[in-house]
Structures are given as structure tokens and as C-alpha cells.
Amino acid sequence: MALDPRPDMNLINQFSDRFFHAFYNREWLGECGQTVDFLSVSNAYAVQDLVAQKRIDRGETVVGFKVGCTSQAIRQQFGLTEPISGRLFHPYILEENCELDWRNYLGCAIEPEMVLTIGKELMGKHLPDDELVDSIESVRPGIEIHNFHFWHSPPSIQELISSGGIHAGLVVGAVKASPQELSFRDEMFSVYKDQIMVTKAPAKEIMGGPLHSLRWLVDFLTDKGQSLQKGSLVIPGSPTELVRIDQDTELKVAIERVGEATAFFRTQ
């Protein structure tokens, strides 16, 4: 990993063009004279910022944030001491029971997520649990969709950040739970393919619980002089491994005391 945090704007611009193109066209335009792991982590976030601006210029809207690499095992794999952040975009926020062609994604994979709707602006460092809980308007079950494909080998944290956390979309359930009724630690997350459970894990596997992930995100934004805006959606990470979708599948996520969300991955 590059240690020099000073931005090389020419290289950052070249990588932002390529990641922007790859998201829509599922192809890599070619190298930039350096591989992506030449970037520092701060450079990679600069690439992500430019890609986000290009998507906004295209007509999309940032509606919130995702937190990724929330498990200790994944952070150790990439040599990280903290998770990563990416953005959520409209029109890639979808309602449950939608039909999606899994072939439209590169290495289609999903994760179960709590979808937090933020009810008031948050800014500051190390906010206490009660303030975080009070800031959450509602919690819904969600299915995060990934383009689980890396253009460079071996996979690097720089590519993960530059790509926005390989995020491709979010299916949001209709049912809403009150945050005051949740422990944000013991709720069990389960994933079902064609009504057969394929994985499950408790919320505490997300950095000790989703509130720790939300706190990290607010800290991260505060360090950048930004706040988490009222109305934002936040997905704080998954306690389970990625689940690949490589054939027609009815996919259901169930989160204890929150509810269920279903999406149909079908060849169209």
C-alpha cells in the first residue's frame, strides 16, 4: 500500500474515469501507468469522491452511506485498522419483491443489512449509544447487492474504496422497526435462497454491533468536516459472508425483531 497521502490528481482523475466507466459498462478501460494499489487510502477516497460527482452529474442522487469491511477477519485480510465508507445512490434503491436479472451484475452477490433511516443531523466524535439510537427514525431489513468483481489481482483495499465498496444497489423492505426495541447486538440475520437458509449470524458480528459502525461513520464524516444529514439511509454492514447469486433465485433476508425483505433474481 502506498504510504504517501499526497494526491496525484492526474492519476486520481484517470482512475475515477475507469471506475465510473466500469460501473455502467462492466469493463475496464486499461491501466493508468500504475496499478490501483499504488494509491494511498486517502487517494482512493479521492477517486471515490470524483466517481460520485460524475454520477451526480449524470443525474443520480446520493441518499446515504454504506459501511463495509466491518468484520475483523476482513479488516485483517486487507491490513485495515478500521472499516470503509461508500455512498448509496438513487435510482439504485429498490423496493422489496422487485425482480432483478442477476446477469446484469459482475459476480452478483448479496449481504443482509439493517437499513437505518436517520431522523436528525449527526456530527461529532464518539457519540454515545443513546444519542445514536435517538437519531434513528426507523430500521428496515435490506439486501445489499454487490458487483463482486475486482479488476486487479490480488484484491486491494484501494480498489474496494475506489469502487465505493463494490456496491451496486440496495433492496429495502417495507416493514419498519423502532430502534428503541432493538439491542443492536443480539438480533440474528438470516439469508434464504429458495426458502433454504444458507447463512446466519448475530448483529454483534458487525464491529460489536451496528451502533459501533454508525458511530464510526459519523466520526469519519466529522473528520472530513461533514455531517450525516437528516433523511439519510445508512447500511452499517453485514454480520454474514457474501452470498453469491449465479442462477435464478428467490432471495430472502430475515432480521430478528426487524422483519423480512425478498427479491427475485431471475433471467429476464
Side-chain angles (χ1 to χ4, degrees):
M1 181 182 298
L3 299 178
D4 184 0
R6 293 176 297 177
D8 179 339
M9 289 310 301
N10 182 55
L11 192 60
I12 288 169
N13 282 323
Q14 290 182 58
F15 274 116
S16 70
D17 287 341
R18 283 156 176 77
F19 280 106
F20 177 74
H21 178 89
F23 180 79
Y24 297 105
N25 298 284
R26 294 183 292 170
E27 66 176 6
W28 189 253
L29 287 177
E31 295 307 326
C32 306
Q34 297 286 352
T35 57
V36 70
D37 59 359
F38 178 81
L39 297 172
S40 66
V41 168
S42 61
N43 289 171
Y45 275 115
V47 171
Q48 185 191 124
D49 291 345
L50 282 180
V51 173
Q53 188 57 56
K54 292 174 188 293
R55 293 179 65 171
I56 292 168
D57 292 344
R58 183 186 171 102
E60 298 180 16
T61 306
V62 175
V63 296
F65 295 90
K66 65 159 288 176
V67 181
C69 295
T70 53
S71 76
Q72 184 176 357
I74 292 296
R75 291 198 299 277
Q76 287 178 343
Q77 175 185 342
F78 285 105
L80 291 172
T81 58
E82 61 181 15
I84 69 158
S85 171
R87 294 169 173 86
L88 308 178
F89 291 88
H90 175 81
Y92 297 94
I93 307 297
L94 309 167
E95 296 181 355
E96 65 174 336
N97 296 318
C98 58
E99 293 192 6
L100 303 164
D101 191 334
W102 55 271
R103 299 174 305 171
N104 290 336
Y105 303 93
L106 274 175
C108 185
I110 69 92
E111 288 180 306
E113 291 277 357
M114 283 184 174
V115 183
L116 314 179
T117 299
I118 304 303
K120 66 178 182 180
E121 183 179 12
L122 285 175
M123 190 174 187
K125 300 294 289 293
H126 315 304
L127 299 181
D129 283 2
D130 57 353
E131 184 172 350
L132 294 174
V133 171
D134 288 344
S135 76
I136 301 170
E137 183 178 291
S138 66
V139 182
R140 288 176 285 175
I143 302 167
E144 184 183 13
I145 309 169
H146 294 281
N147 288 316
F148 191 37
H149 179 87
F150 287 86
W151 298 104
H152 301 85
S153 183
S156 68
I157 190 61
Q158 293 93 329
E159 181 167 352
L160 195 60
I161 292 171
S162 297
S163 68
I166 61 174
H167 176 80
L170 177 66
V171 178
V172 182
V175 63
K176 295 181 179 180
S178 167
Q180 283 76 22
E181 297 175 356
L182 303 177
S183 71
F184 291 102
R185 177 176 173 81
D186 300 322
E187 290 80 15
M188 188 65 67
F189 289 55
S190 302
V191 179
Y192 298 82
K193 294 174 75 172
D194 298 321
Q195 302 182 29
I196 298 173
M197 187 172 66
V198 295
T199 187
K200 67 177 182 178
K204 64 185 178 183
E205 296 299 322
I206 307 169
M207 296 177 61
L211 292 182
H212 295 290
S213 178
L214 177 59
R215 180 182 296 109
W216 177 87
L217 176 63
V218 176
D219 287 354
F220 175 81
L221 293 173
T222 298
D223 284 340
K224 297 174 67 175
Q226 301 172 12
S227 63
L228 182 59
Q229 295 293 307
K230 178 181 179 180
S232 296
L233 301 181
V234 174
I235 50 175
S238 170
T240 75
E241 69 272 21
L242 284 162
V243 175
R244 286 192 177 272
I245 308 294
D246 56 9
Q247 62 184 23
D248 290 4
T249 305
E250 177 187 321
L251 193 290
K252 182 176 75 174
V253 160
I255 303 176
E256 188 180 12
R257 293 195 288 272
V258 176
E260 300 177 352
T262 298
F264 299 92
F265 289 86
R266 294 173 176 162
T267 305
Q268 299 173 7

